[in-house]
């Protein structure tokens, strides 16, 4: 049976990927930390193989799972909450490189890295992700495993971290919070619905497994994944406000922009379109589905997060 390894399987992106491939009938190895909450995987725990990455040897662990079709690296440290730079580098570069090398030793057909569209100057997180991409290019030279970098725009969707921007605005509006303090909202972002991101990864796995099997050679490839449309943050917040029927006051301009704020970001989808992938959900529908999920599951998930 074809095997897909997903790191960061208990996270937002990782859990959606794990669920997709498990329901597709693949053998899924879900890499998680010992302290990870598994509520996002509750409906597929009986059909995936959980493997703790805090204990044991990741190299030996992957070798034991051969043959491996794909390793999807979704684990990351965002550097939030005052964590040390050393820990961020350890996770996003050193440990990530160990996983990539382990994929080569296990003769995985392809290694897909969930990267970022943010420029490296924005934050230590973005810098570390770009530096890891440089290591992947180096590792790809001469390896039979194909390395694929996926530059992700701003994801949103069901079961995201409640502290993430879209989720926090939805929750505030659903609760009819008295006031949401916001920036002017003039910055434009490419907001992409999680199910479109999952479909993009699934297409990339399918394509690059096929290419590796035909050519028996690796290489490096990079893709941008987003909606292909840049929308102002203000427009998105106002859409959420309207869709929730909220009475919350939207206080635009009450907060300053973050340091190194990116004022415009939009994915170039030309490479993905050549693989016959394009987004299936526009912003209105993606937000509608996301709001419906939070309306039903919000309080339960907040208890899990707390």
């Amino acid at each position: 049976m074809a095997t897909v390894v997903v790191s960061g399987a208990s996270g937002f992106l990782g859990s959606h990927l794990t669920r997709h491939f498990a329901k597709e009938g693949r053998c899924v190895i879900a890499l998680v930390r010992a302290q990870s909450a598994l509520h996002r995987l509750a409906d597929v725990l009986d059909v995936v193989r959980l493997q703790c990455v805090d204990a044991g040897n990741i190299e030996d662990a992957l070798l034991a799972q051969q043959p491996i079709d794909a390793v999807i690296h979704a684990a990351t440290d965002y550097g939030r909450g005052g964590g040390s730079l050393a820990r961020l580098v350890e996770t996003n570069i050193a440990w990530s490189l160990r996983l990539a090398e382990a994929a080569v030793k296990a003769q995985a057909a392809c290694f897909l890295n969930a990267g970022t569209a943010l420029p490296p100057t924005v934050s230590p997180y973005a810098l570390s992700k770009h530096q890891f991409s440089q290591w992947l290019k180096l590792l790809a030279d001469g390896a039979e495993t194909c390395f694929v970098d996926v530059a992700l725009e701003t994801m949103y969707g069901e079961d995201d971290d409640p502290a993430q921007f879209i989720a926090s605005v939805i929750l505030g509006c659903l609760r009819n919070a008295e006031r949401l303090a916001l920036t002017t909202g003039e910055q434009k972002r490419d907001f992409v619905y999680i199910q479109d991101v999952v479909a993009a990864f699934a297409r990339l796995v399918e394509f690059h497994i096929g290419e590796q099997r035909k050519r028996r050679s690796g290489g490096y490839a990079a893709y941008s994944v987003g909606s292909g449309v840049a929308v102002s943050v203000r427009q998105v917040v106002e859409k959420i406000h309207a869709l929730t029927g909220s009475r919350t006051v939207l206080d635009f301009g009450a907060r300053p922009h973050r340091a190194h704020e990116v004022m415009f970001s939009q994915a170039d989808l030309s490479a993905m379109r050549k693989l016959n992938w394009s987004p299936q959900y526009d912003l209105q529908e993606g937000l509608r589905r996301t709001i419906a999920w939070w309306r039903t599951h919000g309080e339960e998930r907040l208890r899990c997060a707390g």
Side-chain angles (χ1 to χ4, degrees):
M1 182 184 295
T3 299
V4 175
V5 177
V6 181
S7 76
S10 62
F12 174 48
L13 173 59
S15 62
H16 280 280
L17 290 168
T18 299
R19 181 175 299 103
H20 170 83
F21 287 109
K23 291 187 175 181
E24 200 180 52
R26 301 226 185 208
C27 174
V28 181
I29 311 300
L31 304 183
V32 298
R33 294 186 184 277
Q35 70 273 23
S36 295
L38 301 178
H39 55 270
R40 287 189 176 105
L41 299 174
D43 58 328
V44 291
L45 281 175
D46 58 336
V47 294
V48 302
R49 299 183 194 173
L50 286 177
Q51 187 160 313
C52 177
V53 295
D54 294 339
N57 185 301
I58 191 67
E59 292 81 6
D60 291 343
L62 261 62
L63 284 170
Q65 304 299 338
Q66 287 182 279
I68 294 173
D69 283 303
V71 176
I72 305 178
H73 182 36
T76 196
D77 185 336
Y78 288 103
R80 301 186 184 119
S84 73
L85 291 177
R87 188 182 70 181
L88 183 145
V89 169
E90 170 61 31
T91 300
N92 293 351
I93 300 178
W95 187 85
S96 297
L97 189 55
R98 281 184 57 204
L99 181 65
E101 290 181 312
V104 172
K105 290 179 181 177
Q107 299 180 320
C110 58
F111 180 99
L112 284 77
N113 176 50
T116 180
L118 292 171
T121 53
V122 166
S123 66
Y125 158 75
L127 176 61
S128 69
K129 298 298 283 186
H130 283 273
Q131 289 175 334
F132 179 57
S133 293
Q134 296 304 309
W135 283 106
L136 287 185
K137 291 177 185 177
L138 183 65
L139 189 59
D141 187 19
E144 290 190 7
T145 297
C146 179
F147 289 91
V148 181
D149 249 329
V150 186
L152 295 170
E153 294 285 345
T154 305
M155 297 183 294
Y156 71 94
E158 300 88 345
D159 219 354
D160 198 357
D161 184 334
Q164 289 286 75
F165 179 70
I166 293 291
S168 66
V169 172
I170 288 173
L171 287 168
C173 285
L174 286 175
R175 290 169 166 174
N176 289 304
E178 182 179 344
R179 169 179 168 272
L180 287 181
L182 303 154
T183 69
T184 58
E186 60 193 296
Q187 62 272 46
K188 289 188 174 182
R189 293 281 186 278
D190 185 329
F191 294 93
V192 57
Y193 182 51
I194 188 63
Q195 298 303 332
D196 279 329
V197 176
V198 170
F201 272 93
R203 181 68 189 104
L204 287 168
V205 166
E206 177 186 28
F207 175 76
H208 284 285
I209 287 175
E211 287 296 292
Q212 199 275 347
R213 285 175 176 167
K214 281 192 296 185
R215 300 178 183 179
R216 288 295 172 188
S217 61
Y220 174 87
Y223 301 86
S224 293
V225 170
S227 69
V229 179
V231 181
S232 75
V233 167
R234 180 170 188 137
Q235 286 178 285
V236 173
V237 172
E238 288 174 341
K239 277 183 180 290
I240 293 170
H241 193 262
L243 287 168
T244 55
S246 181
R247 298 187 301 274
T248 296
V249 173
L250 304 177
D251 194 353
F252 291 106
R255 298 177 61 181
H257 290 301
R258 297 175 299 179
H260 310 294
E261 182 72 275
V262 176
M263 298 308 292
F264 183 88
S265 187
Q266 179 177 306
D268 176 357
L269 301 183
S270 55
M272 287 301 302
R273 292 192 192 281
K274 288 178 182 178
L275 302 185
N276 297 317
W277 175 90
S278 60
Q280 299 302 300
Y281 299 89
D282 63 16
L283 183 62
Q284 182 85 3
E285 179 61 15
L287 287 176
R288 188 192 67 76
R289 292 165 66 100
T290 304
I291 289 166
W293 188 92
W294 281 109
R295 198 186 294 275
T296 302
H297 301 285
E299 294 305 319
E300 173 193 349
R301 281 303 188 254
L302 285 172
R303 288 195 295 272
C304 292

